[in-house]
């Protein structure tokens, strides 16, 4: 590997967006240098690499910087096409994969943030959370992964958020297993993948962080 081809990831351990990128890199078997960023005291490197949003994750590759987790995951899929593809090849299937990943960014992230920031009433937030996951369960159906037999783009977009199930269950006395059994089974399947289990944060730790805010 030449110097120009070195891969560097600016990240923060508990970021669901950074986790997407780590999972995608693991699925593709790409080696990279991991640079943890202090988000309360941002480094020159981060400010220079992502001047628009000044956020992690940032992927550095071939002298370029790529920002925004879903765009980074698509980039990874295009640059390392030899390993199993993350996005499907057929245009409609690709559009559908992007639609659901966008849904995760808009709905799952937004609702999860309400609990995280302890905004609004927990039971209302939990009701919305369950409705969102019922829609996702409908899309998953009886498939192994969202893209069918192979773990891929929608799975990567969504899986970092499963660590919030425990916090929702504790805060709102609900059972994700009762509400969305197929999603819970999917989450367990995803966790059997090394790239996923290595990237995600312990759900109990997340719950404690929410409580201590
Ligand atoms: N839409 C972005 C979201 C990235 C994001 O929200 N990053 C957070 C950490 S989870 C961050 O860097 N926050 C620091 C800040 O906004 O100052 C993506 O998909 O990459
Ligand atoms: C912020 O980070 C710089 C190095 O990047 C360090 O020299 C400085 O002490 C840090 N400031 C605080 C308040 O932690």
């Amino acid at each position: 590997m030449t110097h120009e081809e070195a891969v560097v990831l600016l990240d923060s351990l508990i970021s669901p967006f950074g986790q997407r990128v780590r999972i995608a890199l693991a699925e593709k078997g790409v080696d990279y240098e991991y640079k943890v960023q202090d988000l309360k005291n941002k480094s020159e490197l981060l400010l220079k690499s992502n001047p628009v949003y000044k956020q992690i994750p940032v992927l550095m590759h071939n002298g370029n910087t790529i920002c925004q987790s879903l765009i980074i995951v698509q980039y990874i899929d295009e640059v390392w096409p030899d390993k199993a593809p993350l996005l499907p090849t057929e245009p409609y299937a690709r559009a559908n994969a992007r639609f659901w990943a966008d849904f995760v960014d808009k709905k799952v992230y937004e609702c999860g943030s309400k609990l995280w920031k302890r905004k609004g009433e927990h039971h209302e937030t939990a009701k919305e959370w369950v409705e969102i996951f019922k829609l996702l369960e409908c899309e998953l159906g009886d498939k192994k992964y969202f893209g069918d037999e192979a773990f891929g783009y929608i799975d990567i977009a969504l899986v970092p958020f499963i660590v919030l199930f425990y916090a929702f269950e504790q805060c709102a006395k609900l059972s994700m297993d009762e509400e969305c059994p197929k999603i819970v089974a999917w989450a367990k399947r995803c966790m059997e993948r090394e790239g996923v289990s290595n990237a995600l944060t312990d759900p109990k730790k997340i719950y404690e962080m929410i409580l201590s805010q």
Side-chain angles (χ1 to χ4, degrees):
M1 191 183 265
T2 67
H3 181 67
E4 276 76 31
E5 284 169 340
V7 180
V8 177
L9 177 62
L10 309 188
D11 197 3
S12 161
L13 266 176
I14 66 157
S15 166
F17 305 106
Q19 289 166 354
R20 287 173 171 170
V21 178
R22 274 176 267 154
I23 293 167
L25 289 168
E27 289 293 328
K28 293 285 184 174
V30 178
D31 286 329
Y32 60 97
E33 188 185 339
Y34 193 67
K35 290 196 174 169
V36 174
Q37 300 299 299
D38 179 355
L39 297 179
K40 295 200 177 87
N41 180 19
K42 293 177 182 171
S43 67
E44 275 307 311
L45 182 64
L46 176 59
L47 298 175
K48 196 177 70 194
S49 320
N50 187 354
V52 175
Y53 296 110
K54 305 174 177 67
Q55 288 185 323
I56 58 89
V58 178
L59 190 79
M60 306 171 81
H61 180 233
N62 277 342
N64 294 315
T65 56
I66 305 100
C67 302
Q68 295 286 9
S69 59
L70 292 176
I71 293 171
I72 301 173
V73 172
Q74 294 183 47
Y75 175 85
I76 290 168
D77 203 27
E78 287 166 11
V79 173
W80 289 278
D82 42 324
K83 284 279 171 69
L86 301 175
L87 275 144
T89 44
E90 193 273 315
Y92 173 67
R94 285 171 83 82
N96 191 55
R98 289 178 175 131
F99 172 87
W100 285 106
D102 179 64
F103 175 85
V104 174
D105 269 4
K106 293 193 169 113
K107 295 291 182 179
V108 179
Y109 172 63
E110 187 212 55
C111 185
S113 301
K114 280 192 216 161
L115 182 75
W116 187 252
K117 294 173 187 153
R118 307 184 83 177
K119 263 195 210 146
E121 216 268 303
H122 284 348
H123 284 85
E124 283 304 310
T125 311
K127 211 175 121 201
E128 191 188 331
W129 182 260
V130 168
E131 279 164 16
I132 289 167
F133 273 90
K134 280 193 194 291
L135 287 173
L136 286 161
E137 181 159 273
C138 206
E139 172 61 18
L140 176 66
D142 292 314
K143 294 181 301 232
K144 187 172 176 192
Y145 296 111
F146 279 89
D148 215 349
E149 281 305 303
F151 178 82
Y153 189 64
I154 305 175
D155 306 298
I156 292 175
L158 181 61
V159 78
F161 296 95
I162 66 172
V163 300
L164 282 172
F165 288 179
Y166 181 76
F168 269 105
E169 288 176 336
Q170 298 303 311
C171 292
K173 304 281 169 277
L174 65 91
S175 159
M176 282 303 284
D177 205 20
E178 270 170 33
E179 300 285 357
C180 304
K182 288 177 185 173
I183 285 286
V184 170
W186 161 85
K188 285 189 184 135
R189 271 195 296 283
C190 291
M191 280 299 274
E192 284 163 15
R193 305 182 81 84
E194 216 185 328
V196 175
S197 57
N198 282 344
L200 299 199
T201 318
D202 177 4
K204 293 198 171 134
K205 197 175 149 194
I206 296 284
Y207 176 53
E208 280 162 22
M209 289 174 82
I210 292 172
L211 288 185
S212 68
Q213 286 190 71

